[in-house]
Amino acid sequence: MGKRTLFRFAAGTAVVGAATLAYASLIERNMFTLRRYEVPVLPADAEPLRILHLSDLHMMPGQRRKQEWVASLAGLDPDLVLVTGDNMASPDAVPGVLCALQPLLDHPGAFVFGSNDYTGPVWKNPFTYFLPDRDYTEGVTLPYDELRDIFTGAGWADLSNARTTLKAGGRLVELVGVDDPHIEQDDYASVAGPVSPSADLSIALSHSPEPAVLDQMAADGFSLLLAGHTHGGQVCIPGVGALVTNCGLHRSMAKGLHRWPGSDAWLHVSAGLGTHPTAPVRFACPPEASILTLIPR
């Protein structure tokens, strides 16, 4: 290969790389998308029930487009809103989170927190996500108690290592959740046990979809497992998918709806609505929320 050809190749590669980075940082990360799934977990002849699953807002002050898009989801009139954590990315994020979620707080809801509800993000080399045993580094403390009070004050159930029942869509729903396994705050043993036969539906929440936790939830009979954390891989390869999940979950289940292996449960992993502030890019994995329409088996 001659010098001129090599130069042209290098220049072309640089242009393509710059264009891809610009697309991933300026366009795709703001292409908010609503996913729709049908999940066959209800008894025969039951009326459908609609769940709005939100995760990983990673809200920063001034992200008005994200706030307005999430707020508009109230127009879907879901029967139940479930949030699987990492709502904040700044100590000043609570007003933005509230702007996004305020219209949804009138609906029945429940939540668990993720690591980035407790502490803020710190810069990290993105290639460390390929290291299974990398150390977790905490940032500045975030106002999680303030956010928790807002959610619970609106009547949403805090499922951080907790279990409860609530009415949604005219059905009795049994809910269980754990605090974030990614930072080893989960304690499923304290809330474990078979699902109640009196419940019409049973749902389990965890921010990080760690298989050891999901196995226990499925073994107890919870028919729908919800999680976030993975960002769907955030930067994916078309035709290949996610390169990493940042947890023990296999890459093939980084986002979307899947049957949980060895059980009758379904797992839905949200690719989330935000990004880590130090890596504000998405490629082949736009930010998303999901409407899960539960239907008879």
Side-chain angles (χ1 to χ4, degrees):
M1 181 182 295
K3 289 184 178 180
R4 180 173 296 180
T5 301
L6 182 61
F7 175 78
R8 287 176 176 172
F9 176 78
T13 300
V15 169
V16 171
T20 300
L21 180 60
Y23 167 80
S25 61
L26 299 176
I27 299 176
E28 185 167 317
R29 76 181 180 96
N30 293 306
M31 292 173 56
F32 302 111
T33 303
L34 180 65
R35 306 290 186 194
R36 297 178 183 270
Y37 299 92
E38 290 188 344
V39 192
V41 294
L42 296 181
D45 301 323
E47 291 293 322
L49 185 142
R50 301 199 319 149
I51 294 174
L52 176 62
H53 180 197
L54 303 173
S55 197
D56 297 85
L57 273 73
H58 290 283
M59 191 66 73
M60 293 285 287
Q63 292 183 324
R64 295 293 300 172
R65 184 184 300 182
K66 185 193 300 183
Q67 295 163 22
E68 292 169 0
W69 188 85
V70 175
S72 74
L73 298 176
L76 297 169
D77 196 24
D79 296 305
L80 180 62
V81 181
L82 298 175
V83 178
T84 49
D86 274 10
N87 298 282
M88 298 183 284
S90 163
D92 302 316
V94 170
V97 175
L98 184 58
C99 181
L101 298 182
Q102 180 77 65
L104 293 163
L105 293 176
D106 292 333
H107 297 266
F111 66 96
V112 293
F113 279 162
S115 60
N116 285 146
D117 288 304
Y118 297 117
T119 58
V122 296
W123 187 90
K124 61 189 73 174
N125 184 335
F127 290 103
T128 62
Y129 284 103
F130 292 93
L131 303 176
D133 298 320
R134 65 184 179 88
D135 294 331
Y136 175 75
T137 304
E138 294 186 357
V140 63
T141 300
L142 297 179
Y144 59 91
D145 280 335
E146 181 182 355
L147 189 61
R148 190 194 311 274
D149 288 345
I150 290 172
F151 287 171
T152 57
W156 282 12
D158 180 1
L159 296 177
S160 301
N161 298 322
R163 190 166 181 162
T164 191
T165 58
L166 56 75
K167 276 295 188 79
R171 262 64 64 89
L172 182 66
V173 183
E174 184 171 19
L175 296 165
V176 73
V178 292
D179 210 342
D180 192 1
H182 186 62
I183 51 174
E184 300 180 350
Q185 295 301 304
D186 57 301
D187 184 13
Y188 185 71
S190 67
V191 292
V195 298
S196 171
S198 64
D200 299 304
L201 172 66
S202 56
I203 306 174
L205 277 64
S206 173
H207 174 65
S208 178
E210 292 296 346
V213 175
L214 300 180
D215 280 340
Q216 296 176 75
M217 292 170 163
D220 277 342
F222 286 89
S223 55
L224 178 59
L225 318 175
L226 301 184
H229 177 70
T230 66
H231 296 192
Q234 190 166 319
V235 175
C236 299
I237 297 178
V240 175
L243 299 178
V244 295
T245 62
N246 195 26
C247 64
L249 190 71
H250 191 269
R251 294 184 298 107
S252 63
M253 304 175 82
K255 63 180 176 181
L257 184 67
H258 304 272
R259 176 74 81 172
W260 186 245
S263 76
D264 293 328
W266 290 89
L267 168 68
H268 179 259
V269 179
S270 173
L273 285 156
T275 65
H276 193 288
T278 65
V281 296
R282 278 182 177 263
F283 186 76
C285 187
E288 66 177 42
S290 297
I291 279 284
L292 309 176
T293 301
L294 310 190
I295 60 174
R297 297 182 181 88

